[in-house]
Amino acid sequence: DGDVYKYYSDGEWKKSSSGKSVAIINPTTRKTQYKVQACSQEEVNKIMESAKSAQKSWAKTPLWKRAELLHKAAAILKEHKAPIAECLVKEIAKPAKDAVTEVVRSGDLVSYTAEEGVRILGEGKFLVSDSFPGNDRTKYCLTSKIPLGVILAIPPFNYPVNLAVSKIAPALIAGNSLVLKPPTQGAVSALHMIHCFHLAGFPKGLISCVTGKGSEIGDFLTLHPGVNCISFTGGDTGISISKKAGMIPLQMELGGKDACIVLEDADLDLVAANIIKGGFSYSGQRCTAVKVVLIMESVADALVEKVKAKVAKLTVGPPEDNSDITPVVSESSANFIEGLVMDAKEKGATFCQNYKREGNLIWPLLLDNVRPDMRIAWEEPFGPVLPVIRINSVEEGIHHCNASNFGLQGCVFTKDINKAVMISDAMETGTVQINAAPARGPDHFPFQGFKDSGIGSQGVTNSINMMVKVKSTVINLP
Ligand code: G3P
């Protein structure tokens, strides 16, 4: 069937013998846009086998050569930004301009990783024994960083390209092979991205891309004995993966409920601009989106007015038109968001705009006077709906932030840098941004979530280091 995108295994594009496919629904039209192969467990087994054998020779490939191939893939990726961005628009309704940015950012990330990799992997340690009590200088210890083996990468729908390469590039530079399971919404963008790696000429079997239903191959992949490391970005699934996984390193970036704490001395125009960018870009479908505003009562009215004025200017419509607010990824996601909105309505939140929804398109909504008994105070809508909680002390804000199960990022707005640093120290989140909205980038910064928001730290350097193990050789002198 020519209409079904093939999966990528052993350096070739293949049809699944299952004869089944998975439909990808365009969030805007709500019609089937693409179809991908529903791979079988046997096909996963074959992929794992080739990944294992390809990795053995890849680990022996000189570091500079691995880097060279990654640079090549990065350049090809950037050359193909237009068709890949088009897929992102159709599959996940990402505004056209942002879709192009995602691909370019991905090319840059791959190149940066290649450069960083040749530096940090080209260095090991040399230790001598006589610095530890009781030892003579009779032992020399040489350490190096060696690959883990086969890395399983599972990125989410909101960055199917960027959050795939942020796993692929560190895995490959470090000498690992890579099996990608793309999200269903975003699978075709990912296949196109993989094609760029194919064109760059990586050895057969080193990279593969397996598509299919999570319910059929999800657990099979994550529990597969051939997998030596899982790098996952997404939602609650990550928690169940981590509970079931064997004795392998895990890198997880899960949800967030990023708080924006606003003090009385804050520059309210700056805050409003960041709330718009942080809360509503890609319609709030970012784990680092501002998901709750905690503002001092005395300045709340003024800030809400400013944000309201900016919300009124947001354009709402299809991603092809570069609208600010585009349809959310699926009907079930839209229904979930609506559930949070209705709960807030019943419990008496102030609606700064009328609630409006057409299909998967939800108009941006600011909810004022949200209280802790409302679901939206704690749950992440992953949509263009932002709650405002009025607070009477900074401590109240910190307390709300820390009472969350999540701990990804947070931000604080104040002109008092000492206070900002103290608040940052008090917030139990992986990152705190002072006077700007949360964000993962620049992509070489460490990126990590505490509590239910993740395991380990990402960012280029940390991801490379996470995908290697330390090997020691000790020379014993007579
Ligand atoms: O939701 C994924 C997360 O990694 C967000 O990235 O670049 O939008 O801050 P970014």
Side-chain angles (χ1 to χ4, degrees), residues 172-184:
L172 296 183
I173 192 67
N176 300 286
S177 59
L178 192 288
V179 176
L180 176 69
K181 164 64 181 78
T184 296

Side-chain angles (χ1 to χ4, degrees), residues 182 185 345:
Q185 304 290 137
K345 186 172 194 161

Side-chain angles (χ1 to χ4, degrees), residues 93 95 98 271-286 288-291 293 304 306-316 323-328 337 352-353 362-367 381-388 437-438:
D98 297 347
V271 181
N274 275 278
I275 285 177
I276 292 295
K277 189 167 143 246
F280 296 102
S281 57
Y282 189 37
S283 307
Q285 297 174 108
R286 297 163 54 235
T288 50
V290 169
K291 296 208 178 92
V293 178
V304 167
K306 284 182 194 290
V307 177
K308 257 168 85 171
K310 287 184 188 290
V311 166
K313 289 196 186 127
L314 291 172
T315 55
V316 181
S323 310
D324 296 315
I325 303 295
T326 55
V328 296
I337 297 162
C352 298
Q353 298 79 22
I362 293 176
W363 268 252
L365 179 62
L366 190 69
L367 298 174
F382 236 67
V385 178
L386 183 60
V388 176

Side-chain angles (χ1 to χ4, degrees), residues 226-303:
V227 170
N228 303 112
C229 164
I230 303 173
S231 179
F232 176 94
T233 306
D236 291 350
T237 319
I239 297 178
S240 58
I241 291 175
S242 75
K243 287 185 177 150
K244 288 187 257 177
M247 235 180 56
I248 54 170
L250 300 177
Q251 184 181 48
M252 299 258 160
E253 192 242 302
L254 313 177
K257 184 72 184 170
D258 293 7
C260 171
I261 301 182
V262 186
L263 272 54
E264 284 162 311
D265 70 339
D267 173 344
L268 295 185
D269 289 311
L270 180 73
V271 181
N274 275 278
I275 285 177
I276 292 295
K277 189 167 143 246
F280 296 102
S281 57
Y282 189 37
S283 307
Q285 297 174 108
R286 297 163 54 235
C287 43
T288 50
V290 169
K291 296 208 178 92
V292 57
V293 178
L294 301 160
I295 177 149
M296 292 295 284
E297 178 70 60
S298 60
V299 286
D301 286 342
L303 179 70

Side-chain angles (χ1 to χ4, degrees), residues 38-85:
C39 292
S40 65
Q41 299 190 345
E42 293 85 85
E43 282 154 352
V44 169
N45 281 336
K46 281 207 77 181
I47 281 177
M48 289 299 169
E49 267 168 45
S50 2
K52 192 173 179 175
S53 68
Q55 192 267 329
K56 299 265 180 267
S57 37
W58 180 245
K60 295 191 181 101
T61 304
L63 196 43
W64 65 265
K65 262 197 191 165
R66 291 186 225 153
E68 206 172 74
L69 277 170
L70 282 168
H71 282 301
K72 209 167 155 193
I76 298 172
L77 192 60
K78 284 186 170 183
E79 273 167 36
H80 291 80
K81 64 180 182 212
I84 300 175

Side-chain angles (χ1 to χ4, degrees), residues 10-32:
D10 250 326
E12 285 169 28
W13 297 97
K14 296 180 181 167
K15 281 188 200 170
S16 168
S17 56
S18 75
K20 287 192 273 181
S21 63
V22 182
I24 297 167
I25 311 293
N26 180 323
T28 312
T29 63
R30 293 192 288 157
K31 298 210 168 77
T32 298

Side-chain angles (χ1 to χ4, degrees), residues 93-113:
K94 184 166 276 199
K97 258 206 309 234
D98 297 347
V100 174
T101 306
E102 174 172 348
V103 184
V104 174
R105 174 182 180 184
S106 301
D108 291 338
L109 191 153
V110 173
S111 298
Y112 189 101
T113 307

